[in-house]
Amino acid sequence: MPPRHYTPDEFREHGHALVEWIATYLERLPDLPITPPTQPGDVRSSLPAHAPTEPEPFQALLEDLDDVVVPNLVHWQSPGWFAYFPANHSPVSVLAEFATAALGNQGMLWSTGPAATEIEAHVLDWLAELLDVPRSWRNDTGPGGGVIQMSASDSTHLVHVVARERAVAAGAATDDLVAYASTQAHSAAEQGARIAGIRHVRLVEVDDVQALRPRALAAAIADDVDAGLTPAIVTSAVGTTGTTAVDPVRIVGELAREHGLWHHVDAAYAGSAMICPEFREHHDGLDLVDSYSWNPHKWLLTNFDCSVLWVADRQPLIETMSIAPPYLRNAASDAGAVIDYRDWHVPLGRRFRALKLWWVLRAYGADGLRAMIREHVDLAHCLAQQVQAHDRLELVAPVPFALVCLAHRDGNDATDALATAINATGHSHVTPSDIDGRRFIRVSIGQAYTDRGHVARLWHVITEHA
Ligand code: PLP
């Protein structure tokens, strides 16, 4: 017997019920405790030991969202979410995700999803214009181009492999290659070197605002060249994970050009801010960059996963990744007339992730997105001023975007106790962190529904416990 699918009428009924459930969840979000009291194993022990043999009604599936999922989930979309970096979504991106699933397209090749491929290429060109990155990174002009990846880590891993291939093609031995980043770079840089088989990794010293010291980079490169090694790739951060420090992209780029390194920029979080011209000073030097990654799934209202990778020249990427088994060959690809995004990343299959980005850009407009970024940055600056004016608190880093890093003047234990008190409220959530043994609290303002009132409530808790 073939399986019984929902009839069109049943699908409509269940779809309405699900949308109703989502709308109610979003309304309830501000009142839900952000973290659950769940203990390891609690969720599994509440589930049946075996998969059901008989079909269950849709209502039962929906009820388990309330009974099993919501009480045991961390609610990242809560307006009191100030932890890590945001992974913000928006109602329109949720709807787009629903439509993407319904279309169920697998756009590995242009020929398997022309609309998916061309909308992705086009929307990334819109973004190239909105973020004012070099024109050569656009898909329509090239020689570079943009592609949506699952995560910024994927992009960082990938470009390490591309850099390895480029260096090896130029005559270097894989065992001699060296990758560089600062001590504050995201761990994906070190991981990317590992994945690419680059054995030598130099994490270069930072200055007092946690930005890479170019002199330290130059010295490390010189030492490696003297030792007979081959510098292959350097990663600059525009917005480090720890404190959103910005590395000197232009100077790193000049060093990279001088010594033949691939230069990758990791702007996973801060890239979204570049939609506002006032942050573009942090983009100085993009003409000396080979690849650039950033996450609309962090701070541009586009739900996870949606990470943009731009390359200044698509050829090294495609040469590294492209393999053409006979079953993937087709006239459009053979004619070289189209982008086949399967050649731009590790997996073959790919979802139509561009749809949600397209809808977000259209539903908010560039001005709407700029307004959100500016509001979050303004809230962060106000909070930073309050911290500075407080006699028992201090800022531990500048605030170039919307992350405030603060510490208790009484030391690490007091800082940790403050973080614990904030997170115990259930309505606000922050991340305790550490640089060189100094404990601090990261307050990252960037959720879609966060407003002045939520930050005021957080500040109230901070002052109560400081
Ligand atoms: N790079 C930076 C600077 C980050 O802050 C992060 C995550 O916070 C990443 C990379 C990794 O991002 P993803 O989760 O998309 O791999």
Side-chain angles (χ1 to χ4, degrees), residues 85 151-154 186 239-241 266 268-269 295 297-298 304 307:
F85 280 136
S151 74
S153 305
D154 281 342
H186 191 268
T240 57
T241 312
D266 175 1
Y269 159 74
N295 287 345
H297 72 224
K298 276 188 165 48
F304 191 88
S307 181

Side-chain angles (χ1 to χ4, degrees), residues 146-419:
V147 55
I148 300 179
Q149 309 269 348
M150 183 178 76
S151 74
S153 305
D154 281 342
S155 296
T156 306
H157 300 162
L158 182 60
V159 296
H160 278 75
V161 176
V162 178
R164 179 198 67 202
E165 288 300 283
R166 195 177 72 159
V168 168
T174 303
D175 276 355
D176 293 340
L177 302 182
V178 194
Y180 305 82
S182 89
T183 56
Q184 290 302 306
H186 191 268
S187 52
E190 201 173 343
Q191 213 175 23
R194 213 184 283 176
I195 288 166
I198 299 177
R199 293 197 299 123
H200 307 282
V201 177
R202 312 282 179 241
L203 296 182
V204 174
E205 184 189 328
V206 291
D207 62 17
D208 52 1
V209 291
Q210 312 299 329
L212 180 148
R213 269 189 206 281
R215 270 207 212 128
L217 175 63
I221 292 173
D223 286 351
D224 287 328
V225 172
D226 285 350
L229 300 176
T230 306
I233 179 168
V234 58
T235 299
S236 298
V238 172
T240 57
T241 312
T243 64
T244 65
V246 179
D247 291 341
V249 173
R250 177 166 295 284
I251 308 178
V252 173
E254 284 163 356
L255 282 168
R257 284 286 188 274
E258 189 185 336
H259 296 279
L261 285 83
W262 185 280
H263 183 199
H264 178 61
V265 168
D266 175 1
Y269 159 74
S272 297
M274 303 305 164
I275 198 168
C276 303
E278 63 268 31
F279 298 104
R280 302 262 175 78
E281 62 184 297
H282 302 303
H283 262 177
D284 180 43
L286 289 196
D287 49 314
L288 300 173
V289 165
D290 294 296
S291 52
Y292 178 106
S293 57
W294 66 287
N295 287 345
H297 72 224
K298 276 188 165 48
W299 198 13
L300 211 65
L301 298 176
T302 311
N303 60 287
F304 191 88
D305 53 345
C306 184
S307 181
V308 174
L309 171 67
W310 275 311
V311 287
D313 181 359
R314 69 182 75 172
Q315 219 44 48
L317 172 62
I318 293 174
E319 276 164 18
T320 302
M321 300 312 296
S322 185
I323 293 181
Y327 49 83
L328 293 179
R329 291 195 56 185
N330 62 86
S333 302
D334 286 351
V338 295
I339 287 181
D340 287 327
Y341 273 128
R342 61 141 193 149
D343 292 334
W344 294 54
H345 50 47
V346 174
L348 170 64
R350 61 196 327 267
R351 321 195 294 118
F352 187 3
R353 282 180 295 221
L355 185 76
K356 58 191 171 188
L357 198 47
W358 190 38
W359 281 19
V360 165
L361 284 166
R362 295 171 66 194
Y364 288 90
D367 279 348
L369 297 172
R370 289 188 189 109
M372 177 201 68
I373 298 280
R374 286 175 178 143
E375 170 72 1
H376 290 158
V377 172
D378 185 46
L379 290 175
H381 286 164
C382 292
L383 180 66
Q385 279 167 8
Q386 288 172 306
V387 170
Q388 271 175 316
H390 195 282
D391 56 358
R392 287 189 297 282
L393 299 171
E394 60 188 338
L395 288 180
V396 303
V399 184
F401 304 106
L403 176 75
V404 180
C405 298
L406 62 103
H408 201 292
R409 288 183 188 274
D410 288 351
N412 286 350
D413 289 347
T415 299
D416 281 343
L418 181 55

